[in-house]
Amino acid sequence: MNAKKSTSNKTPRGSMKRSVFNIPRILRHVPLILLTAFLTSCATGRIDPTDPVGENAKQIDGIMRLSGYMATAVGIFVAIAVVVVIVKFRAKPDDDPDELPKQIHGNRKAELTWTVIPVLLLVFLAVVTIPAVFDLSSKSDGRTIQVEGQQWWWQFSYDVDEDGIHDIVTANEIVIPVGEEINLDIRSNDVIHSFWVPQLNGKKDAVPGRVHQWRISSPVPGIFYGECVEFCGLSHANMQMRAVVLEQDDYDAWIQEQLTAATIPTDPAAKRGYDLFGRHCVSCHVVNGVYESAGNGNANLTSGYAPNLTHLMTRTSFAGSIFDMYKDDGSVNIADLREWVRNAPENKPSRPDNRQGMISFAETLSNSELDDLVTYLLTLGGPPPLMPS
Amino acid sequence: MALTEERPEILELESGDTSASTGAFARPTNATGWRAWVFTVDHKKIGIMYGVVAMFWFLWGGVEALLIRAQLFTPNGTVLTAEQYNQIFTMHGTTMVFLVIMPLAAAFANYIVPLQIGARDVAFPRMNALGLWVFVFGGIFLNLSWFLGGGPDGGWFAYAPNTGVTFSPGAGMDFYALGLQIAGIASLVGAINLIVTIINMRAPGMTMLRMPVFTWMILVVQFLLLFALPVITVALILLSFDRTFDANFFNVSMGADPLLWQHLFWIFGHPEVYILILPSFGIVSETLPVFSRKPLFGYSVIVISGAAIGFMGWGVWAHHMFVSGLGPVGVAAFSATTMFIAVPTGVKILNWIATMWGGNLKFTVPMMFSVSLVSMFTIGGLSGVMHSVAPADTQQTDTYFIVAHFHYVLFGGALMGLFAGMYYWWPKAFGYKLGESLGKWHFWLLLAGFNMTFGPMHILGLQGMARRHSRYGPEDGFDFWNAVVSIGAFIILIGMIVFAVNIVRSWLGYKAGTVPQEPADPWDGRTLEWAIPSPTPEHNFDYVPVVTDVDDFWHKKYQPDANGKLRKIADGNAIAQKGDQHPHLPSPSYWPIVLAAALPLIALGLIYNLWITGIGLVLLLGAMYGWSLEPATDPDAGHDGHGDDHGDDHGPDNHDPDGSNEAESVTAEEAPVD
């Protein structure tokens, strides 16, 4: 039994074993958890629809507040009526049991009133809503980025020279220039997903076989968090993403960097890692310029896609954006990266035996081989144009 | 004294020479013991069994809910794996919708509707039993998946193509698709039965607009079921064919559009919401007038708005799909229809408040639950209007804001109403009331736990916490309210334990004589079920009542005097029927349960081995054969009291010495099930 007393005032995350029998032990910490949680809940989370930044998100926020205020007003009216009824018309002990209250069977005028008033309120709401629906679904004249959802990560593709061929393919992080209304072509390569960066816009589903048009924009640079919000199977909770908004100059520089192909490393450890990559990784992953055999639609995965790793280190996160690539001090989060490469299914629920997710290399690669492979990965571009604050 | 004049002649059932029927199989005759329950065709026993089984699944669905809340108590919870979490939230929704709220409503519909319309039973008693047993076996079949490789993992909404074999290779989704088809048969059978019963078997004088509102709402719900279930059945058959026979209905690479599933599912799924809530609307439309001592404010408006909700419910399904790529015209249209379905719903709420306004309110436990429905459902209704604003819904959908919304509708609305119904009709079914003070503890704990659980989910949703995520991170800022929510869920558990204790204590007290036997009319009721003894005698009515008004029974108790002032002219218990007649009743039957047992075998075979399907089909055909060849009634059936006083002409009168048709011994049979 796992009965040792914890003196920590932190939430017991991580110290819990996989057993429902630990619930009572958690319960003993309830007061501390509540206190800690209340203090931390004052800070806003990373996903935060209540703090809209993009134009679309702001427009939605306005309508949402309007409907919220109207609903609250009606709710308060009903609540007052219920409270008055409960207090005022409660039977008293000294009531004459044979005395009936006035028997009212209805009142045409009253009923008409409380039919018409809601109708008017709702007509008003509809008049506000319907133009917004059309407005939000229109296409902008900005550039288009292709978004593809697959179990359990996002892929973003850029057609820089607008020749119909995607020149940049990246994963987990969509990079956009500040102030531009970007069009998104949202697709899925397996099941239904939903693209959501709440501070920039509402959701849009990624449905296989269809292309859904959507827009995002931000007037300020920064990193905005998003995630998949349509249930998409085992690791639905671990399909996150980030929208990186850059100043125009930084964006142009980022584009130029992404267009560069990788080269074979010269450092001996990295070269050994490069060779290992060629043996173990290329059936799924692409590194532009050196390993392009996997391509798109490869048979090793149900979705046919694995993240393109050419500029891995220019991203601030990996593995469906659930791990930070860099620590707060700016150094690479090598421990998590190495652990991820060693045994992915252990670090993110997945089902590689059913071609859903990355296989484990725990049995295949030795410790030194893992080190070499990670050393190679560290050579793949970087650092990111913008770090999370 | 005018009352006795209105009593009609004794009800006579067809007294043709049924004993001469030459069926190949005898009918069961047991009036007591387990056989009296398993083979019964009595709508009251069937109603009680629906309730008992639904409460069992409520317990299981509640355990699933608590596991979910234990997992989400802290960030990165490790109580469940992602795989277990997905299975459990799938089955929590499926269980609560199909195995708890629908059958609880069926329990009340079965027990109460015939009593409210002055009928001896439903139109097709054996079909009624079939519905019950199909539901029982469907529920067992669905949950067999837990023991055969894991539960369904695609969500109760089962969106294609995630539920195809490619992405959900286990057998769980097969159990889901086949199990819901089985459960659907139960509801369909029940729907046809109740529609025929309500339309054909009302007491003389009970026009449609003199029908109790509960019966009205049940009628609307049965029509919704009748039209909605075929749609989900088609969808489930397509899914089953995809999974079992490699059909390509939802296979995108073969040209399918997975949105087909969503449209089919929600064309069923949205009327389903009204299927779940309208019975409770009916219940509080009964309890509020009784405990306010006032008639329902705007009876016809409440009835018509209920029917209007039923109609409009067919035109709003795509509001579940605002972000799935409908295009702006579709989104705008469904946004508008969804807004305007709030009108008849709002009218109902305000009419209920007007019913209480100026009344003489008695806050019994059923009244407390009823008032909580009015207020809690309003919150769910208003957040529903917020979702109808499609742009706002693009931020709200698939977050906990939606989870909060529909739990306010289904827990704060449907379940609160069903609890009101349990406390209200308990004396009619069992002869005693549930304890008042434990009942109040149950109510307050449930109300507090409910609001603590689902209230903060509004905040979590607005903060952006997504649904169906098996974990959230410590950096997301969701810790505090999730802890509150999880504690609230355990308060609900305590409330439900109090409810269980109350049931057991009240029953034991009744057996020991400390809880009093209730008379026919313990609440000063308004409708016909209070005009017969408590608990209901097996034959319901000695005499078919003749109805002249809405709330007919109440008008027999209260009449205006010479000055036009309403006076109590009779005591309800005194003028109630005595339950001492012994008309002939339909005999029990072996075949409904046998036929129902064939269905899970057929379904199991489709998953594992077609030979099992073959066995199931043989059993099915055998049961149909037995069903049709069984004599219309058994001359030696356990309906002992073939009253010589009303010319029942087959067989000698065989009054049992213990008189098992007397009210007291019926109680003894019925009481043990709770």
Side-chain angles (χ1 to χ4, degrees), chain A residues 306-341:
Chain A
N308 182 311
L309 299 178
T310 314
H311 297 278
L312 176 67
M313 301 311 290
T314 64
R315 306 174 197 157
T316 63
S317 60
F318 63 97
S321 210
I322 61 173
F323 296 107
D324 282 324
M325 184 71 86
Y326 296 90
K327 296 184 208 165
D328 291 342
D329 61 9
S331 64
V332 179
N333 180 7
I334 292 178
D336 280 346
L337 185 61
R338 185 180 188 280
E339 187 52 28
W340 169 250
V341 174

Side-chain angles (χ1 to χ4, degrees), chain A residues 127-386:
Chain A
V127 166
V128 176
T129 298
I130 290 171
V133 169
F134 285 91
D135 198 11
L136 286 162
S137 63
S138 63
K139 216 171 149 93
S140 82
D141 48 10
R143 73 196 76 198
T144 299
I145 299 172
Q146 177 173 283
V147 176
E148 287 161 287
Q150 49 267 299
Q151 289 177 330
W152 289 279
W153 59 283
W154 293 95
Q155 174 164 290
F156 305 103
S157 308
Y158 297 68
D159 178 9
V160 178
D161 48 13
E162 297 185 342
D163 63 351
I165 298 163
H166 291 124
D167 314 296
I168 298 171
V169 178
T170 180
N172 298 328
E173 291 172 18
I174 181 168
V175 179
I176 62 170
V178 77
E180 183 177 332
E181 279 279 335
I182 302 290
N183 290 309
L184 304 178
D185 279 350
I186 301 177
R187 302 163 182 267
S188 165
N189 293 320
D190 42 32
V191 301
I192 299 176
H193 304 275
S194 194
F195 178 91
W196 191 37
V197 183
Q199 283 175 283
L200 304 188
N201 201 347
K203 311 174 180 75
K204 188 60 111 180
D205 281 2
V207 179
R210 299 169 68 112
V211 184
H212 288 157
Q213 210 276 314
W214 202 228
R215 300 192 315 244
I216 55 169
S217 71
S218 167
V220 291
I223 295 183
F224 303 96
Y225 293 83
E227 60 193 358
C228 174
V229 278
E230 183 58 82
F231 179 65
C232 60
L234 185 58
S235 223
H236 171 50
N238 304 303
M239 184 170 166
Q240 304 175 357
M241 72 186 115
R242 293 172 186 186
V244 180
V245 183
L246 300 179
E247 296 286 6
Q248 190 64 48
D249 292 348
D250 296 338
Y251 178 76
D252 294 338
W254 181 82
I255 289 283
Q256 286 314 312
E257 184 185 2
Q258 299 290 312
L259 288 171
T260 336
T263 51
I264 300 168
T266 46
D267 169 73
K271 178 66 173 62
R272 287 197 301 275
Y274 168 83
D275 292 336
L276 285 164
F277 193 97
R279 244 175 289 149
H280 296 287
C281 312
V282 293
S283 55
C284 295
H285 291 283
V286 169
V287 177
N288 294 352
V290 287
Y291 292 123
E292 294 186 344
S293 63
N296 286 340
N298 73 73
N300 300 303
L301 289 158
T302 318
S303 66
Y305 291 80
N308 182 311
L309 299 178
T310 314
H311 297 278
L312 176 67
M313 301 311 290
T314 64
R315 306 174 197 157
T316 63
S317 60
F318 63 97
S321 210
I322 61 173
F323 296 107
D324 282 324
M325 184 71 86
Y326 296 90
K327 296 184 208 165
D328 291 342
D329 61 9
S331 64
V332 179
N333 180 7
I334 292 178
D336 280 346
L337 185 61
R338 185 180 188 280
E339 187 52 28
W340 169 250
V341 174
R342 189 185 71 84
N343 193 340
E346 199 171 81
N347 290 285
K348 175 174 173 175
S350 51
R351 216 180 266 137
D353 53 334
N354 196 43
R355 301 188 301 144
Q356 295 166 288
M358 180 158 130
I359 59 170
S360 167
F361 290 97
E363 309 295 321
T364 337
L365 294 178
S366 70
N367 278 335
S368 64
E369 285 175 321
L370 266 173
D371 291 334
D372 291 343
L373 192 51
V374 170
T375 308
Y376 171 61
L377 293 179
L378 296 183
T379 66
L380 295 172
L386 200 61

Side-chain angles (χ1 to χ4, degrees), chain A residues 10-233:
Chain A
K10 285 190 200 141
T11 52
R13 174 174 80 84
S15 65
M16 284 163 53
K17 290 282 177 288
R18 286 174 190 231
S19 158
V20 291
F21 299 108
N22 277 347
I23 295 168
R25 196 170 67 82
I26 303 169
L27 285 177
R28 265 179 264 148
H29 289 279
V30 164
L32 282 175
I33 291 171
L34 283 182
L35 186 68
T36 322
F38 183 71
L39 294 175
T40 52
S41 75
C42 299
T44 45
R46 305 197 306 182
I47 290 271
D48 193 3
T50 59
D51 179 24
V53 174
E55 279 309 313
N56 301 315
K58 280 183 176 158
Q59 187 184 358
I60 292 171
D61 189 62
I63 301 173
M64 192 152 95
R65 279 172 199 276
L66 173 73
S67 67
Y69 296 146
M70 285 171 68
T72 309
V74 175
I76 289 173
F77 169 76
V78 173
I80 290 173
V82 169
V83 169
V84 167
V85 161
I86 290 173
V87 173
K88 195 170 168 201
F89 301 110
R90 173 185 291 273
K92 317 273 184 310
D94 54 343
D95 283 349
D96 177 3
D98 287 332
E99 189 66 28
L100 281 174
K102 193 168 176 223
Q103 302 290 297
I104 306 160
H105 289 269
N107 181 327
R108 193 63 53 81
K109 219 178 262 177
E111 285 161 289
L112 206 61
T113 311
W114 63 58
T115 309
V116 170
I117 290 179
V119 168
L120 292 178
L121 287 174
L122 292 167
V123 166
F124 170 70
L125 203 54
V127 166
V128 176
T129 298
I130 290 171
V133 169
F134 285 91
D135 198 11
L136 286 162
S137 63
S138 63
K139 216 171 149 93
S140 82
D141 48 10
R143 73 196 76 198
T144 299
I145 299 172
Q146 177 173 283
V147 176
E148 287 161 287
Q150 49 267 299
Q151 289 177 330
W152 289 279
W153 59 283
W154 293 95
Q155 174 164 290
F156 305 103
S157 308
Y158 297 68
D159 178 9
V160 178
D161 48 13
E162 297 185 342
D163 63 351
I165 298 163
H166 291 124
D167 314 296
I168 298 171
V169 178
T170 180
N172 298 328
E173 291 172 18
I174 181 168
V175 179
I176 62 170
V178 77
E180 183 177 332
E181 279 279 335
I182 302 290
N183 290 309
L184 304 178
D185 279 350
I186 301 177
R187 302 163 182 267
S188 165
N189 293 320
D190 42 32
V191 301
I192 299 176
H193 304 275
S194 194
F195 178 91
W196 191 37
V197 183
Q199 283 175 283
L200 304 188
N201 201 347
K203 311 174 180 75
K204 188 60 111 180
D205 281 2
V207 179
R210 299 169 68 112
V211 184
H212 288 157
Q213 210 276 314
W214 202 228
R215 300 192 315 244
I216 55 169
S217 71
S218 167
V220 291
I223 295 183
F224 303 96
Y225 293 83
E227 60 193 358
C228 174
V229 278
E230 183 58 82
F231 179 65
C232 60

Side-chain angles (χ1 to χ4, degrees), chain A residues 89 91 95 196 203 210 238, chain B residues 257 360-361 395 397 463 471:
Chain A
F89 301 110
D95 283 349
W196 191 37
K203 311 174 180 75
R210 299 169 68 112
N238 304 303
Chain B
D257 186 342
N360 184 240
L361 274 59
Q395 292 287 24
T397 189
Q463 284 182 342
R471 65 169 197 96

Side-chain angles (χ1 to χ4, degrees), chain B residues 380 383 399-409 454-458:
Chain B
S383 57
T399 70
Y400 269 79
F401 198 75
I402 302 282
V403 182
H405 156 72
F406 70 74
H407 279 96
Y408 268 81
V409 171
F454 301 109
M457 285 188 186
H458 290 110

Side-chain angles (χ1 to χ4, degrees), chain B residues 557-573:
Chain B
K557 296 185 284 187
Y558 296 90
Q559 288 284 328
D561 61 14
N563 302 325
K565 187 171 165 54
L566 276 171
R567 294 266 177 224
K568 189 163 190 173
I569 55 159
D571 178 55
N573 300 315

Side-chain angles (χ1 to χ4, degrees), chain B residues 228-311:
Chain B
L229 283 166
V231 184
I232 185 73
T233 306
V234 166
L236 292 167
I237 287 174
L238 300 184
L239 177 60
S240 291
F241 271 54
D242 264 16
R243 292 187 58 91
T244 310
F245 304 120
D246 293 326
N248 289 314
F249 295 109
F250 304 115
N251 185 347
V252 178
S253 64
M254 300 300 283
D257 186 342
L259 288 195
L260 171 67
W261 169 272
Q262 296 189 19
H263 283 292
L264 290 174
F265 186 83
W266 291 118
I267 290 174
F268 152 79
H270 204 81
E272 172 73 13
V273 173
Y274 300 106
I275 289 167
L276 298 172
I277 190 68
L278 287 179
S280 290
F281 282 3
I283 290 171
V284 299
S285 300
E286 301 293 324
T287 54
L288 291 174
V290 166
F291 296 110
S292 305
R293 305 184 74 207
K294 271 183 70 201
L296 192 62
F297 189 95
Y299 166 89
S300 54
V301 172
I302 292 218
V303 166
I304 290 164
S305 60
I309 292 171
F311 277 108

